[in-house]
Amino acid sequence: MAERTARVAGSLRRRVYLALTGGLSGAGRLTATNKVIILLIVASIGFAIFESEEVVRGPNSWIFQVAETGFALAFAAEYLARLWTCAEEPRYRGFRGRLRFMLTPAALIDLLALAPLVFVAIGSEAFVLRVLQLVRILRLARIGRYSNAANAIRQAVRLRRYELAASLLAGLSLMLVAAAGLYVIEGTDQPDKFGSIPRAMWWSISSLTVGYGDVYPITVMGRILASLVAVIGVALIAVPTGIITTAFAEVLSKAEAEASAPPDRQGFETALHDILARADEQERQSAEVNAGELHRQLGGYPGPSHQLPLCCAVMRQAMRPGDEVTHQGADAADAALTIRFAMPR
């Protein structure tokens, strides 16, 4: 009886873990649970924004209090669920493993999001901490369909980080030189605006970026220098854009080339794991996997048939006591190999 109870608890924990991490939907898409959490996060941020307006908060303070309590309880339940299910990952098992999970950046952000409920006694301004939950959307989005684009941008920046650093240094140098020049030329005529280099830096920054226009030179030499700075600034600011665009194109081209390449061992292992995980979640007694079908799912068959032996090797290595080969095919044809994997794993 105790063994059966432990098995049921383990199965439930596994289901909750997959629901929270995106494993139930397949292909890394957001699960229904993830979508509900995102909606709660967006709603809580919306309430935090409107609560900052006294005209809205005044006559409806009780609504915001109830909503804040509801959001906090929902996020507390999610935090406890993540703390319970983190043991599905070997590195977070046991007391020390869970403590390690609690100290991860994502878990700390989850815990910080509960601060308005814990520290409600410090006053109504505590609701501003709810805005921090926006970071949680980014964490959940990593397992969604936009993760590839986010990873590509991060890789592009990392690939050209030295060139970007050089262009940033050049831009800062131009701002400083321009501010110093306008301080020398315009300092006497407009001491309130160009009376020091720090004061002139505001004009320099705005001229090279948005062009705010509240500060401008009035002398002939000052206008000539400002014109030169504006022209050079336009060209200089465009440099990082070109660097990022080129690097982004390189990353996307590399990703497309990798996607069209034949599947490797890791690809077969991941695909097989997904199949067995779905069968386990459906509480099936077994799952039959055919090498040809598995290869076809990865887009490698028909085509590079030399990968089929690798696929079969991965399937055989995944076998445990209770699993059996149900079909080998004539002359041990790789494409005909079928293995029945017993559940649960």
Side-chain angles (χ1 to χ4, degrees), residues 298-311:
L298 296 178
Y301 179 77
S305 58
H306 63 278
Q307 291 287 327
L308 276 168
L310 176 59
C311 176

Side-chain angles (χ1 to χ4, degrees), residues 134-150:
L134 180 61
V135 182
R136 290 156 55 94
I137 295 180
L138 300 179
R139 186 191 66 186
L140 290 174
R142 290 189 63 185
I143 60 176
R145 64 185 62 183
Y146 300 107
S147 60
N148 290 337

Side-chain angles (χ1 to χ4, degrees), residues 149-173:
N151 290 333
I153 294 174
R154 184 170 59 251
Q155 292 176 20
V157 173
R158 184 176 181 179
L159 185 64
R160 292 289 182 268
R161 59 186 182 277
Y162 298 115
E163 293 86 342
L164 290 173
S167 63
L168 176 62
L169 179 61
L172 292 176
S173 300

Side-chain angles (χ1 to χ4, degrees), residues 42 55 70 95 112 124 172 174 200 247 261 279 287 314 345:
V42 174
V55 176
F95 175 77
L112 187 60
S124 61
L172 292 176
L174 178 61
V314 169
R345 304 302 291 170

Side-chain angles (χ1 to χ4, degrees), residues 169-190:
L169 179 61
L172 292 176
S173 300
L174 178 61
M175 289 181 183
L176 183 59
V177 171
L182 265 294
Y183 159 68
V184 173
I185 298 173
E186 297 282 334
T188 304
D189 297 302
Q190 300 188 77

Side-chain angles (χ1 to χ4, degrees), residues 228-247:
L228 292 175
V229 170
V231 173
I232 297 174
V234 170
L236 191 60
I237 294 301
V239 172
T241 304
I243 293 175
I244 290 293
T245 302
T246 303

